[in-house]
Amino acid sequence: MQGAMAAPALAPVTRQVSSRAAPALVPSSPESVQPLPAAVAELPVLDASGRPVPFGTLFRDRRAVVIFVRHFLCYVCKEYVEDLAKIPKSFLQEANVALIVIGQSSYHHIEPFCKLTGYSHEIYVDPEREIYKRLGMKRGEEIASSGQSPHIKSNILSGSIWSLWRAVTGPLFDFQGDPVQQGGTLILGPGDNIHFIHRDRNRLDHKPINSVLQLVGVQHVDFTSRSAVIHV
């Protein structure tokens, strides 16, 4: 791996309003780096072959941006991950940072989702949503203004129709995860340390990618140049 470039100090853990409180993950002061509980670090995620991997080993020896997404049929998640796919691996290697997506479907859906989105960075699933629960990720949609996402290309009507079409034309009719589960973004490691956590309040409340990359010293990525979306 290439040498790390100098990176700015990571942002402190931020407190998010959530119906599922996670007192163990709320720091005593804004400057604190919060430890990830050992019980959470030991929980398994599954790779594309169904092999279990302890969550904590993903960032034990490196910094990692870990993004928990909703279900794999969610059009917002699809389009957000399509932009994550545009981050050059060389940018991450220069900053010595891993990019990890975690979904909550069966591991069988990982490969098709990566093929659909063009995503080639690390990806795992937590099909029992146990890590989502332990990290206090919200279930249900909180009515809150999240502003205009720079990563979402479809409107809610066309996006929802496209998600439904993918569901009914897939080999199994399922939502590839709990449809009311929200995700979030964390900066973790090295070791079992949480440097930043954002829990999504609704499907559009994800963090803009460049704002997260800036926190870990990864170069700015231009997401504006992309072709029109055509749904067939």
Side-chain angles (χ1 to χ4, degrees):
M1 189 173 290
Q2 299 176 23
M5 62 181 285
L10 296 176
V13 177
T14 54
R15 188 185 303 266
Q16 296 293 321
V17 177
S18 170
S19 60
R20 183 188 296 277
L25 296 179
V26 177
S28 56
S29 68
E31 294 78 24
S32 297
V33 173
Q34 185 70 11
L36 181 73
V40 179
E42 291 165 4
L43 288 169
V45 291
L46 305 180
D47 66 13
S49 64
R51 182 177 67 95
V53 180
F55 179 54
T57 63
L58 301 180
F59 43 85
R60 181 167 295 154
D61 302 317
R62 57 186 180 170
R63 285 180 301 168
V65 173
V66 181
I67 296 173
F68 288 79
V69 298
R70 300 178 72 241
H71 57 95
F72 281 167
L73 282 181
C74 169
Y75 75 93
V76 171
C77 297
K78 170 187 170 288
E79 295 177 8
Y80 189 77
V81 173
E82 282 174 338
D83 273 3
L84 289 174
K86 296 175 183 175
I87 302 171
K89 290 187 177 181
S90 60
F91 285 17
L92 297 168
Q93 289 167 351
E94 286 166 4
N96 196 16
V97 170
L99 174 63
I100 301 168
V101 164
I102 295 181
Q104 35 117 5
S105 74
S106 161
Y107 72 88
H108 296 98
H109 293 301
I110 291 178
E111 233 174 79
F113 184 69
C114 289
K115 197 172 290 186
L116 178 70
T117 58
Y119 181 85
S120 61
H121 304 289
E122 293 181 53
I123 183 168
Y124 303 89
V125 291
D126 172 23
E128 301 301 321
R129 297 185 297 109
E130 195 58 39
I131 300 173
Y132 284 77
K133 295 170 190 172
R134 299 288 191 95
L135 292 175
M137 300 298 179
K138 182 180 174 60
R139 280 189 84 244
E141 294 266 357
E142 183 178 320
I143 299 173
S145 173
S146 302
Q148 182 65 37
S149 170
H151 306 293
I152 306 309
K153 304 172 279 291
S154 301
N155 60 45
I156 189 168
L157 177 61
S158 66
S160 299
I161 291 172
W162 177 234
S163 294
L164 183 60
W165 174 256
R166 286 172 53 212
V168 300
T169 56
L172 294 171
F173 186 89
D174 72 75
F175 285 98
Q176 301 182 23
D178 182 344
V180 298
Q181 177 66 60
Q182 303 301 324
T185 300
L186 295 91
I187 296 172
L188 297 159
D192 293 334
N193 291 317
I194 304 174
H195 299 277
F196 174 88
I197 183 168
H198 170 85
R199 300 177 182 91
D200 299 346
R201 296 169 295 173
N202 55 54
R203 70 189 68 190
L204 293 171
D205 191 40
H206 50 252
K207 295 295 291 180
I209 295 168
N210 274 319
S211 70
V212 179
L213 296 181
Q214 183 180 24
L215 295 177
V216 290
V218 175
Q219 293 183 50
H220 183 277
V221 179
D222 182 8
F223 297 109
T224 59
S225 139
R226 54 192 170 201
S227 54
V229 178
I230 301 174
H231 293 157
V232 292

